[in-house]
Amino acid sequence: MKAIIAYDEADAESAAVRNADAAYVLKPSPDHYRPYLDINQIVDLASDLEVDAVHPGYGFLAQNKEFAQALKDRGIAFIAPKSEGIFDFANKHIIKAYAARAGLPILPGSESFVEREWLFRFAEAIQYPLVIKSVYGYGGVGMKVVHSEEELESSFNEVRHLCSRHLKCCTDVFLEKYLPGAQHVEFPVLRDANGTTIVLPEQECSVQRRFQKLVIETPSPRLSPQMRSRLESEIRVLANRLEVFGFATVEFLVKDGHAYFLEINGYIQPSHTATTLLTGVDLLKEQINILSGGALSVDPGLINRHGHVVGSFIYAEDPEKEFEPSPGNIERLHLPFGEEVYVQSNIFSGAVVSPLYDPMIAKLMVRGLTREEALHKLSIALSEFFVEGVKTNIPLMRALISSPEYAEGKVTPTYLDKPDQRRQLLEQVKTDEEQEIASLVAALSLYRDGEEELLVDQLNTDGSELGAASRWVNRRRKNV
Amino acid sequence: MSVSAINYTIRSGKSHSVSIDRNTDFTGPFTVGVNDREYRVRIRKTHPDGRIKSLLINNRVYPVEVLRHGDGSPYRVYLKGVPFDVNVESVESTRVKPETPERNISGEIYSVLPGQVIKYFYKEGESVQIGQPLLILEAMKMENEIVAPKSGVIKKIHVAEGVVVAKGDLLVEIEDNKDTE
Amino acid sequence: MEQSPIQDTVNQERIDALRELKAKMKQGGGEARLQAQRQKGKLTVWERIEYLFDDNTFVEVGSFVELRNEHFGLGKKKTPGDGVVTGFGRIKGKLVYIAAQDFGVLGGSLGEMHGKKVANIMDMAIQNKAPMITLNDSGGARIQEGIGSLCGYGDIFYRNTKASGVIPQISVIMGPCAGGAVYSPGITDFIAMVRGTSNMFITGPDVIKTVTGEAVGKDDLGGPDVHMEKSGVATYVGDDDEGTLNWVVKLLSYLPSSNEEHAPVLPAPAPGFRQDQKSLADIVPSNANKAYNMLEVIDNIVDPYSFMELQEGFAPNVIIGFARMDGISTGIVANNPKHLAGCLDVNASDKAARFVRFCDAFNIPLLTLVDVPGFLPGVDQEYAGIIRHGAKLLYAYSEATVPKLTVTLRKAYGGAYICMCSKHLGSDMNLAWPGAEIAVMGPKGAANVIFRKQIMGAEDPASEAVKCEQEYTEKFANPRLAASLGYIDDVIEPDETPTVIRRYLWSLSDKEAPRPKRKHGNIPL
């Protein structure tokens, strides 16, 4: 199978572009925020290239009906779950109704609506805190938590505005009860045309920021084996009812031993590597397999469910400045490696982290026989991960993973939201020796300032790299 | 070999007393005493302007970054990306400081060139710091900035703007700040 | 490899005795004197040597030399070493010779043998072609030794002269230096002084008070700041002993070990090193009336952070110093329009001329940046002999056979234009920026002479004068005329300057410009 990639100029240096069999650049278009949303351009390109199928990658048009239709009209397959008619996974609201009918517990919520008049009425019924969700939202876009009535209207406007900008589809929203401190757990599901369904071990998103994942674990330490098997069978029922074709993830919120169905996502996410690492099942391969008419190539009975995988997403951002993206040039880079340490990364020494897109620069995942072992490995791998030139969340992740709170499972997804909490976490990790060294470094830099002329540094060389000046090498002249 | 050293008191978490031997070699190796411990330090890499980028401390590599206030004093040190807030409490040489006799700098500013006074930056009675520009004298067809040779208060402006002066004419007088006494 | 212990007991005893003796000798005049030195804020002589030289590389020569004129009770005060530590060692790997006076022994005073030691080490430096450093910290001549001390000085001055232009000589005044003693530093190439502890003068305050009645303190008479700002004797003033010695080490990095070596070369810095670098066309404004700081221009042309200014407090209207271009040590001479409009005067000519001659003696190429409206007019300049002093600079540049590179940034008028290493004085590279004004005199003056009749006869002489000035500027006061005659090799964009200079410099490494044989010229002094 050949892979052709269509990309935005800003991603010109990415690994995907370099490694693809062919790469085509998308022209910027004034109508669209980013060319990745330019359906016409993409479809035209796909058509000209006579491709068999288009994979939407991680986001943008992954759940866009217009896109799917446009491709269908040109006879190009769309590698995403079939979303025709009632089986529209992208529509969170409808799917929720199906789940309820299949017997899965759901959170209290409202009908979907667009008009402002309904807003306050529904909110009153559900009570605070609640979440305003865009019906077609995904990946954290199109969701806002509302804690009180004062924030309600502005949040509503914000969500709708973001939707029209990023999602290119309807701006319907619905309200749902918010469960603070609940864990996100999702089960990857594969189902082929024969109806063979595989429900893979669940993934927990242990810590997030801005609704995007920072740390994930599979399986979730929070699910008891009984709960797991119960949910698995319920998911199986739902998947069959909805005639899931291909790959999907079924998401739950778990709190205090209860699980609530949240939504189904029909697209591969970056975090799914963890599942592959644990089970050996190549989700992407199976997805394409199924959607091209084949059957699952995996024997459900032979899937490995032992061991534990923990992963951390590395972003080029400044945790001290509320995770503000820190774009720039990556001057030097050393990726960690080791037994069962996996790094997927798009960057290299000299790469430029663009301010235009999500500043994720790597996925670091480790696998261990036990959770404890996995956490330990991840902590070490994080300490070996060296990036120079942009700020990253690596030090913060290191502090988090090695903290006792994390090991004891006391963290919630919003654990890192408060600056004080983050600071405290970093403080905890500091040893006395490190404090001494910090003062040493401060003194040393003052010392170097205080002394005159610093460049006596240059003299400690053996003169071997003389470059352009090589005609001037120190040598004796003839008698003057 | 501590012929002479500088003792710093730096607060990071708690107060630490750091002693660095003075040396003609600015990359080290330094033997730095922090409280009771000795650290062997070598500067591995610097930025082109001399700021420290990477250190070898007791044979461990530390990428570092130091943030400073405008006056040069460091307030935050990043060790391997983790921020440490620091505060400089004192700086002292282990050696006796020689007495530097007071310099008598005259507050009378004479013109060194014949020219025309174009503009004054201060009025009589205003305070001025050493090195700040006092006036512009146009001479040799160029604007010459005359700076204050010492800090003080403008006692008297002897030549008004626009007047042509000869070399050696008294332009401005600065007197010492009476408040500092 | 462990050495087996010594079996011969007599030899072992001798060795033990020697060790004890040497340890005592290192104390010089005794612990009390060393402490007194420290209390004044000074380092002791051995502390200075250990600070300056690379670890374990110093070799002392003549540690046992003692005085032999034992009149006036000197016999009892005999000390091995006689108040000076001489020897050699490595400074950043380079061989360097040193004579360091020990104030703790007889006040560091110079007697016959003390002088002989210094002369001896200087002979070694000259023969072995390595730089010579003197650390001066002495009460002066040892009066008790009579003519013997004068002998000592004479031997030293003679060798300072013999060594001049053969090996770099650096004097560091780290304490008193009075009377005849000042002539040795005076002959040397660079003099550094330490603030608060050092001074130099021929006749001290006491004698001056007696003879002329003037009352002046030691510091006001010959302190470091006086010598930096007024007399031009000091090249550098350091805040303390260590800072001053650091400066010496840095200075050595720009100098060859002797006149038989090329200027030193260090690895060139990587390109693209500066953030927010301002364009040279913005630093030097087009409006010729506006001043700017030439130091900023220099910093943007030479290798980053490599410029080391010398004599910065003296004659600030001209800048001298060492820098590196692609790692090659280069001497920089530049007018600074920030002071005295960048005019050349008596002090500036002296300052620059001596520097040019030093660079020529030691194969260090010269880069001259020109923005000079002329010589400073004034009766006192004339009486002070601007004729003689200006001529020095002309002479120095003409005499120099090292690569000479000149860039004219803005003004270059009259005699000063020629003085600042113009093509006529043998410069190898002569570039000009588009805004350069190269002419006999400024447009205003010139127009009034050339177009005098026209201006006088006009209806509105003032505006006619302005018109004539403009005409003159367009025709003459621009680089085109000089370039068309070949006196300017090229007119370049300001930001091209760093690159073009480096290309020229690279080509000039083997330059040879023979001169007619003669003993030496007669430079106006």
Side-chain angles (χ1 to χ4, degrees):
Chain A
M1 195 188 315
K2 274 202 183 170
I4 304 178
I5 190 158
Y7 65 96
D8 181 1
E9 197 57 55
D11 289 330
E13 294 293 321
S14 75
V17 172
R18 274 206 313 284
N19 295 323
D21 293 306
Y24 291 85
V25 68
L26 292 170
K27 290 188 272 294
S29 67
D31 301 329
H32 301 98
Y33 182 51
R34 291 251 65 86
Y36 289 125
L37 290 171
D38 187 351
I39 294 180
N40 293 331
Q41 195 187 153
I42 296 173
V43 173
D44 284 341
L45 181 64
S47 185
D48 288 340
L49 292 172
E50 294 178 19
V51 298
D52 299 298
V54 170
H55 193 297
Y58 290 141
F60 288 113
L61 298 174
Q63 299 195 132
N64 189 306
K65 281 199 287 206
E66 200 186 313
F67 188 50
Q69 188 61 42
L71 286 173
K72 188 167 182 215
D73 292 339
R74 305 273 188 113
I76 302 173
F78 187 38
I79 301 183
K82 284 222 169 37
S83 54
E84 31 204 42
I86 53 170
F87 300 141
D88 185 355
F89 295 144
N91 188 321
K92 291 186 182 167
H93 190 251
I94 290 186
I95 287 300
K96 202 173 156 191
Y98 271 101
R101 259 178 264 162
L104 287 156
I106 57 170
L107 289 163
S110 74
E111 294 294 314
S112 67
F113 62 95
V114 162
E115 302 84 7
R116 201 190 142 284
E117 296 84 69
W118 294 104
L119 180 65
F120 286 89
R121 251 197 261 172
F122 284 142
E124 216 187 301
I126 295 171
Q127 289 296 300
Y128 300 92
L130 53 83
V131 195
I132 304 181
K133 284 192 181 176
S134 153
V135 161
Y136 281 99
Y138 65 89
V141 178
M143 252 172 56
K144 190 125 173 86
V145 179
V146 181
H147 295 280
S148 68
E149 197 166 349
E150 290 85 49
E151 302 170 8
L152 188 61
E153 181 144 15
S154 57
S155 305
F156 176 64
N157 292 331
E158 198 184 312
V159 170
R160 297 196 68 226
H161 172 71
L162 278 174
C163 286
S164 62
R165 215 159 174 233
H166 290 275
L167 298 178
K168 300 253 338 133
C169 49
C170 80
T171 53
D172 287 36
V173 300
F174 68 100
L175 307 181
E176 193 178 65
K177 188 105 185 99
Y178 178 63
L179 267 189
Q183 290 289 357
H184 279 251
V185 169
E186 51 186 60
F187 287 83
V189 176
L190 287 167
R191 187 172 174 279
D192 65 14
N194 301 331
T196 318
T197 312
I198 300 181
V199 180
L200 293 160
E202 75 288 1
Q203 247 184 45
E204 172 190 292
C205 171
S206 319
V207 183
Q208 315 174 315
R209 102 241 171 291
R210 295 202 288 256
F211 295 114
Q212 286 190 288
K213 300 176 185 176
L214 273 185
V215 184
I216 55 171
E217 292 193 45
T218 181
S220 165
R222 253 159 276 271
L223 286 189
S224 64
Q226 297 91 332
M227 209 170 171
R228 185 175 293 122
S229 54
R230 199 196 82 209
L231 287 173
E232 272 180 22
S233 47
E234 279 170 6
I235 291 167
R236 206 176 290 272
V237 167
L238 182 63
N240 279 316
R241 261 212 216 166
L242 294 175
E243 293 182 25
V244 169
F245 185 64
F247 171 81
T249 53
V250 183
E251 273 190 44
F252 293 84
L253 281 182
V254 174
K255 186 170 180 185
D256 301 329
H258 294 285
Y260 305 90
F261 173 85
L262 202 57
E263 59 192 35
I264 298 186
N265 284 314
Y267 51 92
I268 299 260
Q269 293 176 54
S271 51
H272 292 143
T273 319
T275 305
T276 309
L277 280 180
L278 184 69
T279 61
V281 178
D282 187 340
L283 296 171
L284 194 54
K285 178 172 144 199
E286 296 304 327
Q287 183 194 37
I288 296 176
N289 216 357
I290 295 171
L291 284 163
S292 56
L296 281 165
S297 65
V298 187
D299 181 344
L302 289 178
I303 295 170
N304 174 53
R305 291 169 193 265
H306 297 296
H308 203 94
V309 171
V310 189
S312 174
F313 289 83
I314 312 294
Y315 293 89
E317 51 189 29
D318 193 347
E320 285 182 272
K321 294 204 181 102
E322 295 302 317
F323 298 109
E324 193 181 273
S326 159
N329 259 35
I330 298 204
E331 287 157 29
R332 274 152 46 79
L333 180 67
H334 285 304
L335 302 174
F337 59 88
E339 195 63 41
E340 303 220 273
V341 172
Y342 306 92
V343 184
Q344 274 189 318
S345 150
N346 200 21
I347 53 168
F348 48 93
S349 285
V352 176
V353 175
S354 162
L356 298 172
Y357 294 113
D358 194 34
M360 169 157 39
I361 58 178
K363 289 192 282 185
L364 171 59
M365 311 222 170
V366 306
R367 181 184 158 156
L369 288 173
T370 61
R371 182 171 184 256
E372 205 186 325
E373 187 185 301
L375 285 178
H376 183 62
K377 260 192 211 173
L378 183 58
S379 182
I380 295 178
L382 282 166
S383 71
E384 293 173 2
F385 203 135
F386 176 65
V387 180
E388 191 179 278
V390 294
K391 288 219 164 11
T392 65
N393 60 343
I394 293 174
L396 187 60
M397 291 292 99
R398 213 165 59 228
L400 177 67
I401 297 293
S402 46
S403 70
E405 285 82 4
Y406 191 84
E408 290 163 19
K410 291 202 183 119
V411 308
T412 61
T414 53
Y415 191 66
L416 293 180
D417 280 359
K418 294 209 188 63
D420 290 334
Q421 179 75 320
R422 298 197 289 268
R423 219 167 287 141
Q424 204 209 347
L425 201 57
L426 284 170
E427 281 302 317
Q428 259 178 266
V429 153
K430 293 179 186 170
T431 61
D432 282 341
E433 195 191 7
E434 283 174 345
Q435 295 281 17
E436 280 188 2
I437 292 179
S439 41
L440 186 161
V441 175
L444 194 59
S445 44
L446 266 181
Y447 170 77
R448 282 167 59 87
D449 272 1
E451 298 291 343
E452 298 273 358
E453 292 64 50
L454 308 168
L455 286 194
V456 192
D457 288 356
Q458 281 191 12
L459 302 182
N460 294 317
T461 57
D462 59 9
S464 50
E465 328 124 29
L466 290 174
S470 55
R471 290 191 75 203
W472 279 80
V473 171
N474 291 343
R475 58 177 198 266
R476 305 242 119 177
R477 292 170 62 90
K478 296 188 285 250
N479 249 342
V480 282
Chain B
M1 179 212 76
S2 54
V3 166
S4 93
I6 307 192
N7 288 333
Y8 299 88
T9 316
I10 314 264
R11 176 169 284 277
S12 170
K14 59 175 201 173
S15 255
H16 301 275
S17 142
V18 184
S19 174
I20 303 182
D21 284 347
R22 289 182 79 172
N23 204 310
T24 55
D25 188 339
F26 292 117
T27 55
F30 300 94
T31 306
V32 181
V34 183
N35 305 329
D36 295 321
R37 272 205 261 206
E38 256 192 16
Y39 289 86
R40 285 177 319 281
V41 180
R42 194 169 236 297
I43 298 180
R44 290 178 76 239
K45 286 201 189 58
T46 56
H47 292 280
D49 61 3
R51 283 175 304 133
I52 306 173
K53 199 165 159 181
S54 173
L55 289 168
L56 189 70
I57 303 179
N58 282 356
N59 296 328
R60 253 202 119 168
V61 175
Y62 287 85
V64 300
E65 201 193 317
V66 180
L67 296 184
R68 302 156 182 274
H69 291 300
D71 65 359
S73 59
Y75 67 90
R76 191 170 301 150
V77 172
Y78 288 87
L79 289 182
K80 293 188 171 187
V82 179
F84 289 76
D85 286 324
V86 296
N87 187 36
V88 180
E89 291 178 349
S90 77
V91 179
E92 262 172 20
S93 168
T94 51
R95 294 214 299 119
V96 173
K97 220 175 151 38
E99 278 176 36
T100 328
E102 278 288 314
R103 281 201 72 193
N104 270 328
I105 305 180
S106 166
E108 291 172 350
I109 292 132
Y110 295 88
S111 174
V112 288
L113 289 171
Q116 187 183 29
V117 175
I118 299 293
K119 178 180 149 77
Y120 283 97
F121 292 104
Y122 294 91
K123 299 197 212 12
E124 284 180 10
E126 281 186 327
S127 288
V128 64
Q129 295 294 316
I130 182 174
Q132 283 183 321
L134 286 173
L135 67 135
I136 305 241
L137 179 75
E138 191 182 86
M140 305 289 302
K141 280 190 225 61
M142 273 188 57
E143 287 183 5
N144 296 280
E145 228 178 47
I146 315 282
V147 300
K150 66 186 206 171
S151 301
V153 172
I154 307 283
K155 178 172 167 192
K156 184 155 176 54
I157 294 182
H158 289 268
V159 176
E161 290 181 2
V163 174
V164 173
V165 293
K167 177 171 168 174
D169 282 356
L170 178 60
L171 300 170
V172 154
E173 260 184 84
I174 298 180
E175 64 182 354
D176 290 323
N177 229 324
K178 296 209 174 46
D179 307 325
T180 56
E181 266 154 64
Chain C
M1 247 188 53
E2 280 274 324
Q3 191 180 29
S4 30
I6 300 173
Q7 305 293 342
D8 187 332
T9 45
V10 172
N11 272 339
Q12 180 66 61
E13 278 166 21
R14 284 180 185 158
I15 291 169
D16 290 337
L18 181 65
R19 278 198 191 141
E20 212 181 297
L21 175 61
K22 280 202 164 172
K24 187 152 169 285
M25 277 161 59
K26 264 235 166 119
Q27 298 283 72
E31 183 61 34
R33 296 254 163 75
L34 295 178
Q35 273 306 100
Q37 181 92 327
R38 292 191 187 110
Q39 284 310 310
K40 283 193 212 142
K42 293 155 82 173
L43 289 174
T44 65
V45 67
W46 278 106
E47 284 170 351
R48 288 167 181 164
I49 290 179
E50 273 164 30
Y51 188 82
L52 192 54
F53 284 90
D54 296 347
D55 285 347
N56 294 325
T57 58
F58 185 68
V59 177
E60 189 182 0
V61 175
S63 53
F64 284 95
V65 172
E66 286 174 358
L67 61 86
R68 52 183 185 174
N69 297 327
E70 302 193 9
H71 317 300
F72 306 110
L74 275 184
K76 294 199 205 75
K77 298 194 193 151
K78 256 205 290 213
T79 318
D82 205 27
V84 67
V85 176
T86 54
F88 60 89
R90 290 208 206 217
I91 295 183
K92 298 281 169 278
K94 250 165 112 120
L95 171 64
V96 175
Y97 285 82
I98 193 166
Q101 291 175 320
D102 185 351
F103 197 81
V105 173
L106 295 162
S109 56
L110 192 136
E112 181 205 5
M113 299 310 279
H114 176 137
K116 272 204 162 53
K117 275 181 76 174
V118 179
N120 180 47
I121 203 77
M122 289 175 77
D123 282 336
M124 287 169 77
I126 296 170
Q127 255 187 280
N128 298 322
K129 310 196 204 301
M132 177 74 203
I133 300 182
T134 354
L135 304 186
N136 296 70
D137 191 359
S138 158
R142 207 175 288 158
I143 304 178
Q144 295 93 325
E145 291 201 31
I147 195 80
S149 345
L150 286 187
C151 242
Y153 277 121
D155 286 341
I156 294 173
F157 301 156
Y158 181 60
R159 280 157 183 80
N160 278 128
T161 313
K162 262 178 61 179
S164 179
V166 177
I167 50 171
Q169 297 180 84
I170 304 173
S171 307
V172 192
I173 319 297
M174 304 184 91
C177 180
V182 303
Y183 285 125
S184 171
I187 299 177
T188 58
D189 302 309
F190 303 101
I191 303 175
M193 298 182 74
V194 181
R195 194 169 278 122
T197 56
S198 70
N199 47 61
M200 283 171 85
F201 36 71
I202 299 272
T203 37
D206 300 333
V207 178
I208 292 182
K209 186 87 204 282
T210 322
V211 176
T212 70
E214 294 168 296
V216 65
K218 275 207 188 129
D219 204 62
D220 287 326
L221 178 61
D225 295 308
V226 166
H227 283 301
M228 171 59 81
E229 288 163 22
K230 293 203 169 57
S231 67
V233 165
T235 315
Y236 175 76
V237 177
D239 286 324
D240 52 20
D241 281 12
E242 295 90 333
T244 314
L245 292 175
N246 288 341
W247 181 86
V248 171
V249 174
K250 186 175 188 193
L251 178 63
L252 282 170
S253 76
Y254 291 94
L255 311 179
S257 289
S258 75
N259 67 334
E260 288 187 19
E261 272 186 21
H262 258 308
V265 180
L266 293 184
F273 36 71
R274 268 195 253 264
Q275 279 179 333
D276 312 324
Q277 187 169 352
K278 260 167 90 175
S279 164
L280 286 166
D282 279 327
I283 297 176
V284 180
S286 50
N287 182 353
N289 277 4
K290 291 257 180 259
Y292 58 92
N293 197 342
M294 179 62 87
L295 285 170
E296 236 190 300
V297 176
I298 296 174
D299 277 335
N300 279 302
I301 292 180
V302 303
D303 288 353
Y305 309 106
S306 73
F307 182 59
M308 180 180 185
E309 193 179 357
L310 303 171
Q311 280 191 279
E312 50 184 44
F314 183 69
N317 42 326
V318 79
I319 297 171
I320 59 169
F322 292 111
R324 285 185 242 276
M325 305 281 288
D326 268 354
I328 303 167
S329 197
T330 311
I332 313 284
V333 179
N335 310 105
N336 195 353
K338 211 160 189 260
H339 299 273
L340 293 180
C343 287
L344 283 175
D345 63 355
V346 167
N347 288 345
S349 309
D350 279 359
K351 177 179 168 184
R354 184 120 202 267
F355 182 69
V356 167
R357 295 190 89 222
F358 175 84
C359 291
D360 184 43
F362 289 98
N363 310 314
I364 298 175
L366 284 162
L367 173 62
T368 310
L369 301 174
V370 185
D371 187 353
V372 63
F375 281 96
L376 188 65
V379 171
D380 53 339
Q381 285 289 310
E382 297 296 333
Y383 285 0
I386 184 67
I387 294 172
R388 279 188 294 121
H389 296 280
K392 276 184 208 176
L393 190 53
L394 273 166
Y395 189 106
Y397 270 123
S398 306
E399 176 191 48
T401 57
V402 287
K404 299 188 285 205
L405 309 127
T406 311
V407 185
T408 306
L409 312 189
R410 281 198 323 195
K411 302 188 194 117
Y413 291 128
Y417 150 67
I418 307 177
C419 251
M420 293 299 290
C421 203
S422 57
K423 193 118 196 106
H424 323 283
L425 301 188
S427 76
D428 301 292
M429 172 194 97
N430 226 287
L431 305 174
W433 287 5
E437 291 174 18
I438 301 172
V440 174
M441 60 167 80
K444 208 168 188 164
N448 278 324
V449 170
I450 298 178
F451 301 108
R452 178 190 221 87
K453 289 213 182 91
Q454 193 175 328
I455 293 173
M456 303 283 257
E459 276 173 25
D460 182 1
S463 59
E464 185 66 23
V466 170
K467 237 183 60 185
C468 291
E469 273 173 51
Q470 267 177 325
E471 194 184 321
Y472 184 82
T473 310
E474 274 160 31
K475 278 218 186 92
F476 295 105
N478 67 71
R480 291 289 301 276
L481 179 61
S484 68
L485 295 169
Y487 300 136
I488 297 288
D489 296 317
D490 197 6
V491 180
I492 58 166
E493 291 175 35
D495 288 327
E496 287 180 319
T497 312
T499 317
V500 178
I501 296 178
R502 283 169 173 80
R503 287 187 185 148
Y504 265 99
L505 189 57
W506 177 83
S507 72
L508 291 161
S509 66
D510 285 354
K511 172 183 173 186
E512 263 187 44
R515 291 268 188 272
K517 264 194 147 133
R518 58 180 170 181
K519 191 162 179 199
H520 60 74
N522 185 18
I523 182 171
L525 290 174

